[in-house]
Amino acid sequence: MEGIVLQLIGKRLAQLVPTLFFVSVLIFSLQHLMPGDPALVMAGEERDPVVIEQIRQQYGLDQPIPVQYAMWIGKVLAGDLGESMRLKVPVSELVAQKLPVTIQLAVMAMLIALVLGVTTGVLSAVKRNSAWDWVVNVVGLAGISTPNFWLGIMMILLFAVHLGWLPASGYVSPFEDLGRSLATTIMPAFVLGTAIAGVIMRHTRSAMIQALDSDYVRTARAKGLSERTVVWKHAMRNALTPVITLGALEFGTLLSGAVLTEQIFSIPGFGKLIVDAVFNRDYAVVQGVVLVTATTYIVLNLLADIGYILANPRLRT
């Protein structure tokens, strides 16, 4: 099995370079199609022509687009994502400040989504066409359909304003105060997690129904194995493939920044960083954040492929 996993990792890493190159070209090209001139934004209200020209020369904005791309990708390969034109802070430093916040929120949201989605999906498949199955499907559909901003506002009104159990907004690092940190992130994590849980539940239910109707499950039951062993050991392991794929993609989406949820709860994560950068025409920040996000997606897909092999023994051959 180790040889298969290593071979898979080698193939995926070989695909990583051209994929990242294409993504970097796309990011750089689309960024320059945005309306507006960052030099004019940085020059302020006076917009002195001398100052504008100096800004263009300082940031290489007066160079042809291919030259600008070569300068940017060369710095990226050296570990330099550039400097924020507006904040005068290295982009890597901004990413290092905001990414841990979003990672904490994403991990909490995914834990909530997996616990709720997988558990209810399995039980719904086992008890299909029953009242439990109907209730789970209705709740799952409600979770998918409910807008995050509305659910976030309702939770703030209930748990922060009326009950006073949780703070309405803000963020505290877990390294400063773990309890306070969990209190400030549990509501936004629940808002994000419930929406993903509904999707995971429906995929888990569909995959489990297909697995429970397969020949190997009927054989396992014919051998006299308990229903719990049949469901969780035989059917569940083979039904995990679409769940792993979905989980990896949804986790990547969470890491890219849940813009609305972070704005509602005043969470200083990736979402707020990218929105501010776009409005300020801060090219370096937008390019750096999007490149980090794209790389995260690719790495998560690699981990998902490895997860297939670990979860489903049939894929090892």
Side-chain angles (χ1 to χ4, degrees):
M1 185 183 72
E2 294 181 1
I4 296 176
V5 175
L6 292 176
Q7 184 179 5
L8 175 63
I9 294 175
K11 289 181 179 179
R12 289 295 182 267
L13 289 177
Q15 297 173 358
L16 186 65
V17 176
T19 302
L20 285 177
F21 171 74
F22 174 76
V23 169
S24 67
V25 173
L26 187 63
I27 292 170
F28 192 85
S29 302
L30 292 178
Q31 177 70 21
H32 283 271
L33 292 176
M34 293 175 59
D37 187 345
L40 295 177
V41 176
M42 296 174 63
E45 297 181 356
E46 297 182 1
R47 298 188 174 181
D48 187 342
V50 177
V51 175
I52 294 175
E53 185 62 27
Q54 182 180 0
I55 292 173
R56 288 199 174 100
Q57 292 178 0
Q58 179 181 354
Y59 290 97
L61 300 176
D62 58 338
Q63 299 294 325
I65 298 298
V67 175
Q68 292 186 42
Y69 172 77
M71 295 169 56
W72 174 67
I73 199 64
K75 292 180 179 179
V76 169
L77 293 176
D80 181 7
L81 296 177
E83 183 183 75
S84 170
M85 298 178 180
R86 192 171 187 85
L87 300 176
K88 308 299 181 183
V89 176
V91 176
S92 56
E93 183 176 326
L94 292 174
V95 171
Q97 292 174 357
K98 306 298 184 181
L99 188 57
V101 179
T102 302
I103 288 177
Q104 179 186 353
L105 188 62
V107 169
M108 292 177 63
M110 279 305 301
L111 288 176
I112 293 172
L114 289 173
V115 170
L116 294 178
V118 174
T119 303
T120 55
V122 171
L123 294 177
S124 178
V126 173
K127 299 181 180 296
R128 55 182 151 170
N129 300 324
S130 64
W132 169 260
D133 185 23
W134 183 83
V135 170
V136 168
N137 276 279
V138 170
V139 174
L141 184 60
I144 298 172
S145 306
T146 303
N148 286 352
F149 69 88
W150 181 86
L151 181 58
I153 293 173
M154 293 299 103
M155 292 191 69
I156 290 174
L157 289 175
L158 177 61
F159 295 105
V161 177
H162 293 295
L163 298 177
W165 292 353
L166 298 169
S169 62
Y171 174 78
V172 178
S173 171
F175 299 103
E176 297 179 9
D177 188 336
L178 181 59
R180 186 70 176 173
S181 179
L182 293 176
T184 55
T185 53
I186 188 61
M187 280 199 296
F190 185 82
V191 169
L192 294 170
T194 50
I196 300 174
V199 180
I200 290 178
M201 184 278 294
R202 296 181 69 88
H203 279 74
T204 303
R205 180 183 182 275
S206 177
M208 280 296 296
I209 288 176
Q210 185 177 359
L212 290 172
D213 291 338
S214 60
D215 293 335
Y216 61 86
V217 169
R218 283 193 290 268
T219 303
R221 284 171 173 160
K223 291 180 179 180
L225 297 178
S226 65
E227 188 65 17
R228 178 178 297 182
T229 302
V230 170
V231 171
W232 293 104
K233 184 177 180 180
H234 294 275
M236 184 62 187
R237 293 187 66 178
N238 289 279
L240 277 178
T241 300
V243 178
I244 292 173
T245 303
L246 182 63
L249 294 177
E250 292 291 350
F251 190 66
T253 302
L254 291 173
L255 288 180
S256 65
V259 179
L260 286 176
T261 305
E262 290 183 1
Q263 291 289 337
I264 291 171
F265 290 96
S266 299
I267 302 294
F270 248 29
K272 182 174 176 54
L273 178 63
I274 189 65
V275 169
D276 292 343
V278 170
F279 277 112
N280 294 327
R281 298 293 190 272
D282 202 337
Y283 281 7
V285 176
V286 174
Q287 291 166 348
V289 171
V290 176
L291 186 63
V292 170
T293 302
T295 305
T296 302
Y297 264 102
I298 295 173
V299 172
L300 287 173
N301 274 277
L302 172 63
L303 295 177
D305 289 340
I306 297 174
Y308 299 157
I309 296 178
L310 297 177
N312 193 338
R314 294 184 300 173
L315 298 178
R316 299 172 190 173
T317 57

